[in-house]
Amino acid sequence: MNARVKVIGAGSIGNHLGHGCRTLGMDVTICDIDRSALERARDVIYPNRYGSWDDAITLATPDELAGEAFDIVIVGTPPATHLKVATAELETTSPGVILIEKPLAHPSSTDIDAFIAAAEKSSTRVLVGYNQRLKPNTKHFVHLATTLELGALQGLSSNMLESWDGILKAHFWMKSERDSYLAFTDQGGGALLEHSHALNLFLYFADVLGQGRVTDVVGDIEWVSHEDGRYDRDSALSLTLESGLVGTVRQDLHTWPASKEAIATFEKGALVWSMGDSSDRVEHRSTSGELIEAWDFPKTRPDDFIGELEHLRSVWENPQTKSPIDLPAGVAVMDVILAAFESSSSGTSEPVRIRN
């Protein structure tokens, strides 16, 4: 049986995930409160990215879908609306699975706590869209890290460095980052939230490699103010793990060409994870930095989402399926980010909330 999927939000990620669901044969409805956004998806974004519009996709406003049930709901609206939209779905339609695009939310611990409480009362499985955890190069990195005899982990770093140029190229209908939430950290934009794949990968690799959770963070953040608000342009984090290991994460909005990589350094070598436009990669390097072996994973941009969406369908088909992108993983990213903002303000190390 094909899953019936409702994608809420007709912007960039809504088009990517709607296209990915159609590639996997799912029935897709894209929903948006703005009729002009639906028309832009049909006439501009989708055909420019994927060649032509898919007439099998239904476009609708929320009023036109009132009371209609879906198996899977994907929330691809601006981050400041994620939790409000997802809570409404939990309380009214109760789909089998909800996928909330990253970041989970805007930086509000009160709203996050309220959503966790709502999700715990619901039978709906909630996932957060950190698709990098489910890509082939990530799986291979984990395989190597847990099977090669590399010795003790000595260092861990993760970076997502990409200027506005790269982001606006992907959002070609926008003239400026200020045309959306991107230039407003309080709305879920800025480097630390928009590029939170780096922090997410750090947390994932730290867990897989037995280092535990982040207990404390020092946030060195460069802020940019403009007439309408402000955003973090460059965020460098020093993260202390339960094991005692101290690692680093850096995310920025000014580096070009973009650099996206994570490095795990061991006693007997290092593993390097990287992401590119046409190929992802994993490298095994010696202690002196010499390349021992490399694995390339050619791809297109739509391929970036296929592993995540295959996993989403598997969770819908079998609700007992374990998931690396379950709600607690997305919450953990937000808890570190909230502590990092506190650290940036206080100028000192701040504890990270540890949840049961």
Side-chain angles (χ1 to χ4, degrees):
M1 181 174 66
N2 284 344
R4 298 189 68 242
V5 180
K6 177 167 68 172
V7 179
I8 305 176
S12 179
I13 195 63
N15 278 264
H16 275 314
L17 296 178
H19 174 264
C21 287
R22 286 295 303 137
T23 299
L24 296 176
M26 300 186 221
D27 297 329
V28 174
T29 295
I30 298 178
C31 174
D32 201 292
I33 59 174
D34 185 351
R35 175 66 67 179
S36 65
L38 294 171
E39 293 170 353
R40 183 184 63 195
R42 180 193 63 205
D43 299 335
V44 180
I45 302 176
Y46 203 98
N48 270 272
R49 284 181 173 173
Y50 317 118
S52 63
W53 172 248
D54 183 347
D55 289 326
I57 296 175
T58 299
L59 298 175
T61 61
D63 290 345
E64 294 169 335
L65 299 176
E68 190 168 348
F70 289 83
D71 302 310
I72 296 169
V73 170
I74 296 173
V75 178
T77 57
T81 68
H82 281 178
L83 300 185
K84 180 179 179 181
V85 170
T87 299
E89 292 296 321
L90 290 176
E91 294 177 348
T92 60
T93 66
S94 297
V97 187
I98 289 180
L99 174 70
I100 303 173
E101 173 54 17
K102 66 84 190 163
L104 173 64
H106 60 300
S108 168
S109 59
T110 300
D111 289 352
I112 293 168
D113 288 347
F115 179 73
I116 291 171
E120 288 175 345
K121 296 176 184 177
S122 173
S123 61
T124 298
R125 186 81 170 270
V126 180
L127 308 180
V128 182
Y130 284 105
N131 61 305
Q132 300 298 332
R133 292 193 178 200
L134 294 159
K135 290 173 62 178
N137 64 325
T138 304
K139 294 179 180 180
H140 194 62
F141 181 99
V142 170
H143 170 72
L144 294 174
T146 54
T147 58
L148 293 178
E149 296 182 358
L150 296 170
L153 183 69
Q154 296 183 328
L156 184 63
S157 65
S158 183
N159 301 322
M160 288 275 170
L161 313 175
E162 182 178 28
S163 75
W164 288 125
D165 293 338
I167 294 172
L168 292 175
K169 181 179 178 182
H171 299 73
F172 55 86
W173 57 95
M174 289 170 45
K175 295 181 180 179
S176 163
E177 61 273 11
R178 289 166 63 181
D179 289 346
S180 74
Y181 69 88
L182 290 167
F184 303 87
T185 293
D186 63 351
Q187 295 179 30
L192 203 46
L193 287 156
E194 177 62 17
H195 284 336
S196 56
H197 281 301
L199 175 56
N200 169 71
L201 279 173
F202 179 94
L203 299 180
Y204 183 50
F205 292 152
D207 179 56
V208 168
L209 296 173
Q211 303 301 306
R213 296 172 289 186
V214 174
T215 60
D216 300 272
V217 59
V218 176
D220 182 4
I221 299 178
E222 175 193 344
W223 293 93
V224 172
S225 296
H226 49 81
E227 61 184 21
D228 299 315
R230 71 171 188 166
Y231 66 89
D232 55 306
R233 178 175 181 265
D234 192 317
S235 292
L237 309 184
S238 176
L239 304 162
T240 301
L241 294 159
E242 289 177 310
S243 67
L245 183 74
V246 178
T248 61
V249 168
R250 185 166 168 233
Q251 301 170 188
D252 80 21
L253 291 166
H254 59 82
T255 294
W256 192 257
S259 175
K260 304 175 183 181
E261 69 174 21
I263 303 174
T265 304
F266 301 86
E267 288 178 309
K268 301 177 183 179
L271 295 174
V272 181
W273 175 104
S274 62
M275 174 184 173
D277 290 337
S278 60
S279 183
D280 296 332
R281 187 175 173 93
V282 177
E283 295 178 353
H284 178 200
R285 292 187 171 271
S286 69
T287 54
S288 61
E290 295 177 351
L291 181 63
I292 297 173
E293 191 170 0
W295 298 263
D296 289 304
F297 300 86
K299 62 162 195 180
T300 63
R301 177 56 172 155
D303 292 334
D304 283 335
F305 304 97
I306 293 300
E308 173 189 28
L309 295 172
E310 288 176 333
H311 177 73
L312 178 62
R313 182 171 60 185
S314 294
V315 172
W316 168 65
E317 292 172 341
N318 181 7
Q320 303 307 313
T321 300
K322 292 183 179 180
S323 176
I325 59 171
D326 259 326
L327 177 60
V331 171
V333 173
M334 293 303 304
D335 284 339
V336 174
I337 288 174
L338 289 167
F341 288 148
E342 288 291 330
S343 174
S344 173
S345 178
S346 69
T348 62
S349 175
E350 293 288 344
V352 175
R353 183 175 180 180
I354 301 293
R355 301 174 187 263
N356 295 329

